[in-house]
Amino acid sequence: MDRKVILVTGGTGLIGRAIQKIIEIEKTENEQWIFVGSKDADLSNFDRTSKLFERHKPTHVIHLAAMVGGLFHNMANNLDFFRKNMQINDNVLAVSFQQGVSKVVSCLSTCIFPDKTTYPIDETMIHNGPPHPSNFGYSYAKRMLDVLNHGYYEQHGKIFTSVIPCNVFGPYDNFDLQNSHVIPGLIRKLHAAVENESPTFVVMGTGKPLRQFIYSLDLARLIIFVLREYNNIEPIIVSVDEEDEISIEDTAKSIAEAFDYNGKIVFDTTKADGQFKKTASNKKIRQLLPPDFKFTNFKEAIKETVQWFKTNQDIARL
Ligand code: NAP
Ligand code: GDP
């Protein structure tokens, strides 16, 4: 069997670390995995991207590297999200093509879908209308990945494809207070509230928006599955089931439970809610997966993430 050399860009981030962990458990003989972060090469620079690929000679690429952040980081930096991600994505795909990579799996997100849409969202709807204004820069840059994938297929027959994850959380997430997504942001805040014996835990917005959250280790399994088994350029949603959608309020309650916190949860309604919901259907991947594929129970995954955060203060991104 041909040996695959799989380069994971963004291999030092939340999802990259999760793939590393799963690969440690599920190593196969014919695959060599290489995980790189921004210190290995700034992928917004074409020459550095090219040199990185020359060094590792990948046959396959999982492309995760991106400027990533939660609602408030996006709202403040739409232009930077657009430009940085356009640069990174164009470089990674152009160099992959130039250097003969046979397959690339890039990462979109369910938050790039049209704001005004019917539910559940599916893979055919990406370009149907404008995204939510709060993250238009990130959304349009991600949508252009799908445009690039179609272009490389039409002109050159390349299998450059993409996965569309829902919101992700887990160990090695970004726990920065300004830039993080909701779960790491709330874990960081509640950890401080517990240490300071604060009677209140402040959650931004109304708590009403709904989200589908996938544990990073489950997502890692699905991305590896897509790399090995899915050979179509059309994107594929990698999400928990529609029934697993949960409100921000219930998410905050699960985090409070994981900390054994009995104080009061307070909502700062002066802060933005963002998109109300982006309920996505995972029917396409469910039809391809073994019928016994199970997602980790949400509360269990939250407990594991809280435990990771408590015991890894020295290495956590704060
Ligand atoms: P993350 O934890 O913030 O990690 C980002 C990764 O990208 C890091 O490895 C970082 O390297 C690397 N990176 C950033 N800028 C780079 C540059 N200029 N050159 C080279 N590498 C660069 O992000 P994540 O949550 O794992 O996200 C991975 C992918 O999933 C992204 O494409 C994101 O859009 C997508 N996604 C994420 C979510 C979510 O909820 N987190 C949901 C849907 C889709 P350093 O570690 O060296 O900084
Ligand atoms: P989104 O799913 O792309 O909107 O990104 P986030 O992960 O940032 O989730 C945003 C939702 O969580 C919004 O409804 C916010 O109002 C709510 N939220 C509550 N507290 C926080 C927080 O501390 N940080 C973030 N990022 N969002 C929060």
Side-chain angles (χ1 to χ4, degrees):
M1 207 183 280
D2 282 348
R3 190 166 170 74
K4 288 183 191 161
V5 178
I6 302 152
L7 180 72
V8 183
T9 74
T12 50
L14 163 68
I15 302 172
R17 291 283 193 165
I19 295 178
Q20 283 190 42
K21 177 141 194 203
I22 299 299
I23 285 301
E24 277 165 23
I25 306 164
E26 292 180 8
K27 251 203 183 96
T28 64
E29 285 292 304
N30 68 329
E31 290 176 350
Q32 180 194 349
W33 288 78
I34 299 157
F35 294 86
V36 290
S38 64
K39 290 196 182 74
D40 298 284
D42 176 0
L43 299 173
S44 62
N45 178 295
F46 183 84
D47 290 339
R48 289 183 197 146
T49 308
S50 212
K51 287 203 174 76
L52 178 82
F53 276 58
E54 277 164 20
R55 200 176 321 138
H56 295 294
K57 303 195 174 12
T59 60
H60 293 65
V61 172
I62 294 181
H63 171 40
L64 305 174
M67 181 173 176
V68 182
L71 170 65
F72 300 99
H73 192 33
N74 273 273
M75 284 170 68
N77 300 284
N78 266 298
L79 175 65
D80 293 352
F81 271 93
F82 182 72
R83 295 194 64 223
K84 187 57 86 178
N85 288 324
M86 288 290 288
Q87 287 164 348
I88 292 176
N89 297 337
D90 191 40
N91 289 341
V92 168
L93 293 196
V95 169
S96 293
F97 172 62
Q98 278 180 0
Q99 300 195 23
V101 171
S102 54
K103 182 171 178 182
V104 181
V105 178
S106 298
C107 209
L108 312 184
S109 166
T110 55
C111 67
I112 71 165
F113 280 101
D115 182 35
K116 299 200 175 16
T117 183
T118 52
Y119 298 101
I121 292 165
D122 71 36
E123 291 85 353
T124 65
M125 298 176 173
I126 296 181
H127 304 285
N128 280 359
H132 194 270
S134 60
N135 65 352
F136 74 87
Y138 177 82
S139 299
Y140 279 118
K142 288 285 183 188
R143 289 181 186 193
M144 290 309 114
L145 258 173
D146 181 59
V147 172
L148 287 166
N149 287 345
H150 279 82
Y152 279 105
Y153 181 71
E154 278 191 24
Q155 278 188 232
H156 304 295
K158 302 299 293 187
I159 301 293
F160 292 176
T161 189
S162 59
V163 288
I164 312 181
C166 56
N167 290 46
V168 190
F169 69 101
Y172 297 99
D173 208 338
N174 178 7
F175 293 85
D176 177 285
L177 278 180
Q178 312 302 326
N179 298 346
S180 64
H181 287 102
V182 56
I183 289 182
L186 292 182
I187 290 177
R188 168 96 187 262
K189 275 193 258 181
L190 190 50
H191 185 253
V194 169
E195 293 213 318
N196 300 330
E197 296 178 11
S198 168
T200 55
F201 167 34
V202 181
V203 175
M204 295 202 252
T206 62
K208 304 277 180 249
L210 301 171
R211 295 291 182 266
Q212 285 160 297
F213 291 106
I214 187 167
Y215 191 35
S216 57
L217 294 162
D218 293 343
L219 177 60
R221 286 193 180 87
L222 296 178
I223 294 178
I224 295 165
F225 174 83
V226 167
L227 180 87
R228 291 177 180 158
E229 310 290 341
Y230 180 75
N231 289 311
N232 191 302
I233 63 155
E234 296 300 338
I236 184 159
I237 290 174
V238 280
S239 171
V240 296
D241 300 319
E242 286 158 59
E243 307 77 73
D244 294 329
E245 192 170 51
I246 177 174
S247 70
I248 298 296
E249 177 170 3
D250 285 343
T251 304
K253 283 181 182 162
S254 297
I255 295 170
E257 206 179 300
F259 274 96
D260 282 327
Y261 178 78
N262 295 314
K264 192 171 174 349
I265 300 179
V266 177
F267 294 93
D268 179 355
T269 55
T270 64
K271 299 290 193 310
D273 266 347
Q275 201 165 359
F276 177 66
K277 67 176 186 173
K278 38 195 175 181
T279 324
S281 162
N282 64 7
K283 199 168 156 195
K284 183 168 169 179
I285 196 154
R286 274 280 190 205
Q287 283 170 346
L288 301 176
L289 286 170
D292 59 349
F293 182 90
K294 283 205 171 44
F295 292 96
T296 308
N297 173 275
F298 179 68
K299 288 192 176 185
E300 272 314 306
I302 287 286
K303 277 189 190 144
E304 286 181 21
T305 308
V306 166
Q307 195 50 38
W308 184 89
F309 181 72
K310 283 182 178 171
T311 51
N312 287 281
Q313 289 288 299
D314 49 334
I315 57 162
R317 278 185 284 169
L318 299 172

